[in-house]
Amino acid sequence: QVHLVESGGGLVQAGGSLRLSCAASGNIFSINAMGWYRQAPGKQRELVANIVSGAYTNYADSVKGRFTISRDNAKNTVYLQMNSLKPEDTGVYYCNTRNYGLGPPVDYWGQGTQVTVSA
């Protein structure tokens, strides 16, 4: 089992910045992806960014150049620095960690944190 604790989020004006943090504890595999998904009202949950095995990063096209994901392996914590925020970035942001083992990958989710960007 993996437990995720999120922090950050809130209300910000367009063009502003926010930083999300997610600390993981428990049974974290050596081959692991950590990242953030978001869900806007009436829309499906989508990948924002993740970092795989602490090295490889993936970003949604809509956030490239504005968001940066990083990970502190010693603390099992992942950060999402969000700059130049836009109203369309509004949504609930969920921390995710995915363990890769011999069987199918296993996902764990945080409780979600609200990000609201006002125009």
Side-chain angles (χ1 to χ4, degrees):
Q1 191 72 12
V2 176
H3 184 56
L4 301 172
V5 178
E6 301 160 340
S7 59
L11 173 64
V12 66
Q13 288 187 331
S17 297
L18 285 172
R19 188 193 196 208
L20 305 181
S21 300
C22 175
S25 60
N27 189 21
I28 301 166
F29 289 7
S30 58
I31 302 176
N32 167 270
M34 286 191 72
W36 295 90
Y37 287 69
R38 69 186 178 192
Q39 188 165 18
K43 294 188 177 181
Q44 289 188 332
R45 192 174 296 188
E46 62 176 356
L47 174 69
V48 177
N50 68 2
I51 184 165
V52 181
S53 295
Y56 305 102
T57 57
N58 299 290
Y59 293 94
D61 288 342
S62 60
V63 306
K64 285 180 181 177
R66 300 187 297 122
F67 291 10
T68 302
I69 191 167
S70 60
R71 179 171 176 172
D72 183 334
N73 288 325
K75 297 181 180 179
N76 281 325
T77 298
V78 66
Y79 306 95
L80 185 68
Q81 179 65 42
M82 305 185 292
N83 298 329
S84 302
L85 282 161
K86 303 176 180 179
E88 51 263 44
D89 294 318
T90 294
V92 179
Y93 283 66
Y94 296 92
C95 181
N96 166 270
T97 187
R98 176 173 293 175
N99 279 339
Y100 293 92
L102 294 177
V106 179
D107 284 308
Y108 299 91
W109 296 94
Q111 77 279 5
T113 185
Q114 177 70 43
V115 171
T116 302
V117 184
S118 62

